[in-house]
Amino acid sequence: MSSNLSFVKFIEIRNIQSSSGHLAFLEQGTDLDFEIKRIYYIFGVNTASARGGHAHKALAQVFIPISGSFRINLFDGVESKSFVLDCPTKALYVPPKLWRTLDTFEAGSVCLVIASECYSEEDYIRELDQFVLWQAGEPK
Ligand code: T46
């Protein structure tokens, strides 16, 4: 089985620094190889809480730790990898077809997500056993 885990990558976000602070930016085409359809953000997460616990069939995402830090755990049905996001100029590209959980949120963290699709519950697989079966049967 080929795995989308191999396509997960950090993206260095361009950052203009001056005496009055930083300005970081991403552009479609240069930094993002998908069309932006949606942006959402997660904040106010209790440090003991986890988010996610699902996979997406088609949605590609870029995660940016705007503030604080958290961990993204990815699972392709066989292999797992974890990534710590703790720098606002270091984003993580996550392709579809990966089970994910987000945990170890630092207090005050803000997770911005740039998404390739509008929200659709049809795109979610929210049961781990269903995801493993779907991955095993999914032609690659
Ligand atoms: C992901 C992780 C990191 C909407 O109505 N519109 C939206 O754009 C989103 C993202 C969610 N929702 C609704 C669906 C649920 O009723 O908001 C509620 C909470 O969503 P969910 O349980 O999926 O939240 P998380 O934090 O577990 O997952 C979210 C994203 O859904 C998902 O794409 O990768 O953040």
Side-chain angles (χ1 to χ4, degrees):
M1 182 184 83
S2 66
S3 168
N4 270 1
L5 263 185
S6 59
F7 298 113
V8 177
K9 61 180 181 188
F10 278 109
I11 299 170
E12 290 294 336
I13 303 175
R14 284 174 286 168
N15 175 32
I16 310 288
Q17 186 178 359
S18 70
S19 56
S20 53
H22 294 258
L23 188 153
F25 60 97
L26 287 151
E27 288 177 311
Q28 196 171 296
T30 313
D31 308 290
L32 299 167
D33 51 13
F34 57 78
E35 189 186 342
I36 299 167
K37 294 274 183 66
R38 179 170 49 125
I39 292 173
Y40 57 93
Y41 47 98
I42 297 166
F43 59 97
V45 181
N46 186 299
T47 54
S49 297
R51 307 282 312 196
H54 56 252
H56 288 285
K57 296 175 189 169
L59 181 77
Q61 295 154 297
V62 168
F63 290 82
I64 305 174
I66 295 293
S67 168
S69 66
F70 51 88
R71 185 175 65 178
I72 302 183
N73 310 291
L74 300 172
F75 176 57
D76 65 6
V78 177
E79 195 189 344
S80 300
K81 278 188 190 168
S82 292
F83 301 85
V84 173
L85 275 70
D86 59 5
C87 173
T89 57
K90 202 170 170 192
L92 189 72
Y93 168 74
V94 177
K97 301 177 183 174
L98 293 170
W99 186 266
R100 83 283 314 280
T101 55
L102 279 68
D103 61 15
T104 59
F105 281 87
E106 189 184 331
S109 293
V110 179
C111 167
L112 180 79
V113 183
I114 301 173
S116 68
E117 309 292 334
C118 293
Y119 173 71
S120 165
E121 196 55 38
E122 309 258 296
D123 187 61
Y124 285 76
I125 302 174
R126 292 192 183 268
E127 298 297 331
L128 182 56
D129 54 351
Q130 279 177 21
F131 170 68
V132 172
L133 286 173
W134 183 77
Q135 275 289 77
E138 176 77 2
K140 293 289 192 295

